[in-house]
Amino acid sequence: MAHTMTGYSLPESPREFGFYMDGDWVAAGGREVFERTSPGHGVPVSRIPRCTQSDLDASVASARLAFEGRHWAGLCGADRAAVLLKTADLIRDRVDEIAHWEVLENGKPISQARSEVLGCVGMFELSAGLARALHGDSYNNSGDGAFGIVTREPIGVVGLITPWNFPFLILCERVPYILASGCSIVAKPSEVTSVTTLLLAEILTRAGLPDGVFNVVTGSGGTVGQQLAEHMDVDMLSFTGSTSVGRLIVSAAGASNFKKLGLELGGKNPQIVFADADLDDAADGVAFGIAFNSGQCCVSGSRLLVERSVADLFAQKVAEKLRSVKIGEPLDESTQAGAITTDEQNRTILSYIARGQEEGARLITGGSALNTPLGQYVEPTVFCDVTMDMAIASEEIFGPVLCVIPFDTIDEAISIANDTVYGLAASVWTKNIDKALTVSRRVRAGRFWINTTLAGGPELPIGGFKQSGWGREAGMQGVEEYTQTKSIHIEIGKRSHWVA
Ligand code: NDP
């Protein structure tokens, strides 16, 4: 082991992985291989095969066979629940290993990674209950001669494309719910963060999931991801990532078999702070909302709308908090914000910081990359005097960059909050319940927080309004999304004849 930090190590050489199909590993063989370098340390950590179209076809065929064979879809809810509960136990047993790989490939802090993985345990536990509770409907109001039943049936083979910012968490906000519905899955993780999706495949098999129900193809989005979106034998695709790739996914579905889509896309989420808020709590929440995961969250609170009377004071409070965030070595237990996950994302964030300065916004803290020998880190950054016509105020940066925009009235706050093509999440900070509820009703976003941010639980559905996406994941709604209803009409008694 090359380097030890609080019990975790960097590998001396990158570990080789295969992809996962039909309940087993498939070695890379002669396929091209992608080598991942740890963004926090700059050392190679994993090598993953680049799957071909025929690997994808074989994986989809395996998922199809498992589905049509009713190996999973045909089980009773209790049997599906047993596998999901066993999976929860096995994830708990391997929490350190999974968290370690999240750090190596994503660059997030180890303590955060561990708590995300433990959160995923709860998603599997809840989904076990949902598998048993899933049900249809009946209509007993059609008179004595008829009876109606509405069944919920699993939609079939689901493609699942996930991003690099929360490789395991976003996966587990989907997989247990999809499995609870009875569907089979072909997952395609981001090429740069594939390992923990592969580990989940191995865990599911050990937990008793029938072969072929969960398969993982690896490789880049532009190749195997696009092929999955275009595949004629995939019934539904869940995509999480950028709005621009979301558009390609919609086109691919339209040009192929009209597969149903679930899309969770970008956000430019407002944090609305009124002068009557507990400003210390709010400053802490706003700092957390922009610096957590180094701002690489689709739900990051990247626009701070603050009542003008406290705007300067409050911006300084947030800046002070951000200057105290511990950034750096992700394997250090006390680190709060880790690395920027990809080189491209690092360049994007730094170019937006330069753009903010060119556009005339006032930088009050941060603004630079950290000067570290290894890895890539950006200081949490705050811009004041931001107006909505600036690119930094309207475009998703996906980094620790906060834009401060003052407002005078509640109507103005709501109007600025809604002045975006996105509608993923929003927060309000106030001690006045009327203001909190008014804002929560009128801001167009799929997730809303009052006096907190980036909070939730496995029961609450997630997803966006407007260009932030379609459909919902997690909770019972997240199971139902992967079903389709069938209306069964039953005639009771003697038919009244049409032909005399
Ligand atoms: P992408 O949208 O490119 O990637 C998300 C996922 O889609 C990855 O698995 C990627 O694979 C895959 N993908 C890429 N191109 C295609 C395609 N043509 N067909 C099918 N799948 C594809 O996001 P990036 O990683 O490039 O990040 C760019 C921006 O996206 C960020 O700056 C941020 O604004 C936003 N983003 C939003 C996220 C969210 O949670 N809403 C998450 C991540 C990013 P691969 O990585 O292997 O290429």
Side-chain angles (χ1 to χ4, degrees), residues 212-237:
V213 179
F214 186 76
N215 309 277
V216 183
V217 288
T218 49
S220 79
T223 54
V224 74
Q226 180 75 29
Q227 289 157 2
L228 183 57
E230 289 168 356
H231 208 286
M232 292 300 284
D233 205 23
V234 170
D235 301 296
M236 177 166 174
L237 185 85

Side-chain angles (χ1 to χ4, degrees), residues 356-441:
Q357 287 166 304
E358 282 155 29
E359 285 177 317
R362 181 164 51 96
L363 185 74
I364 64 162
T365 194
S368 306
L370 282 198
N371 188 10
T372 49
L374 292 172
Q376 53 205 21
Y377 301 86
V378 174
E379 292 174 338
T381 297
V382 180
F383 281 111
C384 287
D385 303 338
V386 176
T387 52
M388 280 306 295
D389 55 351
M390 295 180 184
I392 56 167
S394 61
E395 294 172 18
E396 183 179 48
I397 298 174
F398 223 61
V401 182
L402 182 69
C403 298
V404 185
I405 306 167
F407 67 83
D408 291 301
T409 64
I410 185 168
D411 283 342
E412 192 189 0
I414 292 166
S415 154
I416 300 172
N418 286 333
D419 184 12
T420 166
V421 297
Y422 298 114
L424 202 53
S427 304
V428 67
W429 300 82
T430 174
K431 288 294 174 198
N432 180 318
I433 190 158
D434 296 339
K435 277 186 203 165
L437 293 179
T438 301
V439 174
S440 74
R441 284 183 173 170

